[in-house]
Amino acid sequence: MIFLSRELTRRVRINFNDMQLYSTNNSNNVVDLRTAVLKSLPEDKGLFMPKKIRGLDPRFIKNIGAYSFEEIAFHVSANLIGEYIPAAELYSIVSKAINFPAPVKRITGNISTLELFHGPSLAFKDFGARFMAELMSYFTRKGEEKITILVATSGDTGGAVAAGFYDTPGIEVIILYPSGRVSALQEKQLTTLGKNISAVEVAGSFDDCQALVKSAFLDPELNKKYNLSSANSINIARLIPQSFYYFEAYKQLEDKTSVSFCVPSGNFGNLTAGLFVKKMGLPIKHLIAATNKNDVVPRYLESGHYTPVESYTTISNAMDVGAPSNFSRILELYQKDWKAITKDIIGYSFSDEQTRACMLRVHRDHNYICDPHGAVGFLASEEYLKKYPNGHVVFLETAHPAKFLDVVEACLETKLTVPPRLAALADKTKKADKLSSAFSEFKSFLLSR
Ligand SMILES: *Cc1c(COP(=O)(O)O)cnc(C)c1O
């Protein structure tokens, strides 16, 4: 049974109206949440942005300690979505999607970590993928539409989407991944589930996979046969649940003064969600953008010039992005005002050598094992505290270190304990269709299914 307090339901009914979203390329192109989620992208190739991000009732933030994670998630999502989804339905969506914890652990006097890897695929992307799966099946439950999600992955997205959408009625998922370029465990996460999840192993790069997906979206014949959608962070459904855990982290902090969040970033979806949270009124001093050598955003913050480039390969590979897709959402939030952006976001970037040295040092001095992405976050937190010594930084630990077993074990010269969920995959049988990177081949594959 779902318990909904009187106060929660009433507030939703009285104060909120429906969420509307507009395209970053045309503010007159306004759609409802259902359209934004099922279509993923506006036709004008912009990104969907919420028309309004309301401030939360300050009493909610003041009393945050009284709410469970599930209640926080409900309250925050209702604040964004309004009464477009009835409160009881929204509560059920949220409680099915967010059914694992996000604990904060203190590492030094003023650096803590928010562990976001306790979901099924052991990466923070579980929050987005699971919420999106629940939302999509709510929107399609009348069974009129069958949705086909195409997703290109360089590793973590595919695993989270596969687990999140597994066995969801009315939704079929096709994951494209570059042959030989994802880790062994990541490949198993994509290729062993079966049912409504299929994997295509592409002889090519991640960019080739992404190009195939893009061409499919533009192909009239395929659009006639399928209702195509995307599960990458261009879809607004992924950003909504990524706002929940900032509140959950804040709740757990003993000292709530001068709190900043440090976000290891690639496509900047996670950091954009943090900016939504700041707009909703959570007292966050700064959002710290932590990157590896792929530093277009830190360079923008430094210079005011945004120059996307080809990405470099690093050991924190989920952040190997040269042209972050959510950057246009950040510009939109601040009306392209660079000065205002640099007031809220501080950026730092680090090399692989620095990242390895950090993993080693944090393990030795603080008995904590960071994954390579988290280590970049730890480094940025330290750098930030040199400038703002009175602050308290919470960095987001975006994946479990065992997902990057080879890199972490070689660096620490220690064997990691692999969570049973991940270890069990080793014995499962891989099933994937092998294709070249030619679109014609992918198209006939889709048409003949
Ligand atoms: C996807 C991912 C990131 C980057 O997140 P963005 O929202 O794209 O910035 C960071 N770390 C890990 C482990 C990831 O899987």
Side-chain angles (χ1 to χ4, degrees), residues 123-125 156 233 242 264-271 318-319 371 373 398-399 404:
F124 84 91
K125 290 188 173 76
D156 277 344
S233 64
Q242 287 175 203
S265 294
N267 269 318
F268 281 78
N270 226 354
L271 192 131
M319 313 199 296
D371 94 295
H373 306 78
T398 46
F404 304 91

Side-chain angles (χ1 to χ4, degrees), residues 299-313:
R299 274 193 289 117
Y300 164 80
L301 295 169
E302 193 72 38
S303 67
H305 300 294
Y306 178 66
T307 33
V309 289
E310 285 278 299
S311 62
Y312 298 102
T313 302

Side-chain angles (χ1 to χ4, degrees), residues 122 185 369 371 399-406 408 416-419 422:
L122 308 169
L185 285 174
I369 299 180
D371 94 295
H400 192 287
K403 281 199 99 169
F404 304 91
L405 206 58
D406 298 350
V408 180
L416 296 194
T417 319
V418 179
L422 208 54

Side-chain angles (χ1 to χ4, degrees), residues 56 64 72 76 243-251 277 282:
L56 276 154
I64 198 151
I72 288 174
V76 173
S243 64
F244 304 160
Y245 43 71
Y246 288 90
F247 291 92
E248 173 66 9
Y250 181 80
K251 173 182 95 179
V277 166
L282 192 71

